[in-house]
Amino acid sequence: MPQIPEKIHELTVGQLAARSGAAVSALHFYESKGLISSRRTSGNQRRFGRDALRRVAFVRAAQRVGIPLATIREALAELPEERTPTEEDWARLSASWRSELDERIKQLNRLRDHLTDCIGCGCLSLETCVLSNPDDAFGERLTGSRLLVERRDNPAPEPASRAREREKECCD
């Protein structure tokens, strides 16, 4: 990892990429989303403060545990401008994200538990199929173990739940 002398207070995008391990394109994306910021030189080149290193590390760590970028941006917005997130910041924010992660884990566990039901049947058209055909939308029109490619003049099937709602609206 290239070392940057202490007297250099700003980094080029290439230096930031080399030090953080993030691709230059990722850094540009992070900047466009407001996660990091830079200033422009008279030659229109980006220059990042050294605090961007810690911010990029913070973003990447939060992403690895599944935190959406919008949530990360909100967390970073709580910090004073150009202050790097500290260990205390991470502890506070990660504690607030714990319930969201716990809920995702529950959803993934449910998905895993239903995975064998769906694949095991072979038809992918069970009313209980939570993966590829929720509410058995295709089962009302089609049968069999696979869906045939339909002609363009044939519209896609309407979800069963929407069809029931429409039927109630017209018949009530």
Side-chain angles (χ1 to χ4, degrees):
M1 182 180 317
Q3 294 296 316
I4 300 169
E6 285 293 321
K7 65 182 179 180
I8 296 176
H9 297 287
E10 292 185 318
L11 309 172
T12 66
V13 70
Q15 289 170 324
L16 182 57
R19 287 290 306 274
S20 68
V24 170
S25 59
L27 297 174
H28 290 170
F29 180 74
Y30 292 163
E31 185 177 17
S32 74
K33 297 298 180 187
L35 300 167
I36 59 175
S37 61
S38 68
R39 71 168 189 88
R40 296 291 182 142
T41 66
S42 59
N44 203 29
Q45 296 176 330
R46 288 179 171 91
R47 292 293 186 263
F48 294 90
R50 292 179 75 89
D51 64 295
L53 281 168
R54 173 94 32 117
R55 284 180 175 258
V56 170
F58 182 92
V59 169
R60 294 185 77 196
Q63 280 185 298
R64 274 194 295 277
V65 296
I67 304 301
L69 287 179
T71 305
I72 298 168
R73 182 178 52 247
E74 290 169 9
L76 287 171
E78 294 177 12
L79 301 177
E81 187 65 30
E82 296 188 15
R83 181 166 84 63
T84 59
T86 63
E87 187 176 333
E88 293 79 25
D89 293 326
W90 178 256
R92 179 178 44 81
L93 293 168
S94 63
S96 70
W97 295 335
R98 183 175 294 280
S99 63
E100 182 180 336
L101 291 173
D102 288 342
E103 183 56 36
R104 283 193 198 164
I105 290 168
K106 286 178 192 174
Q107 289 173 347
L108 286 170
N109 283 332
R110 279 194 302 271
L111 184 61
R112 181 202 57 215
D113 294 344
H114 288 290
L115 183 63
T116 54
D117 296 341
C118 183
I119 301 304
C121 76
C123 75
L124 300 176
S125 187
L126 292 174
E127 286 185 27
T128 60
C129 183
V130 295
L131 299 178
S132 66
N133 191 17
D135 297 326
D136 198 25
F138 291 111
E140 291 184 4
R141 283 193 326 124
L142 306 168
T143 60
S145 61
R146 61 192 165 121
L147 299 175
L148 300 176
V149 177
E150 296 189 43
R151 294 189 351 218
R152 287 200 159 188
D153 57 6
N154 220 357
E158 184 177 50
S161 58
R162 176 62 188 133
R164 285 190 290 272
E165 289 174 16
R166 204 169 30 79
E167 189 175 304
K168 285 179 186 177
E169 291 171 0
C170 76
C171 300
D172 283 350

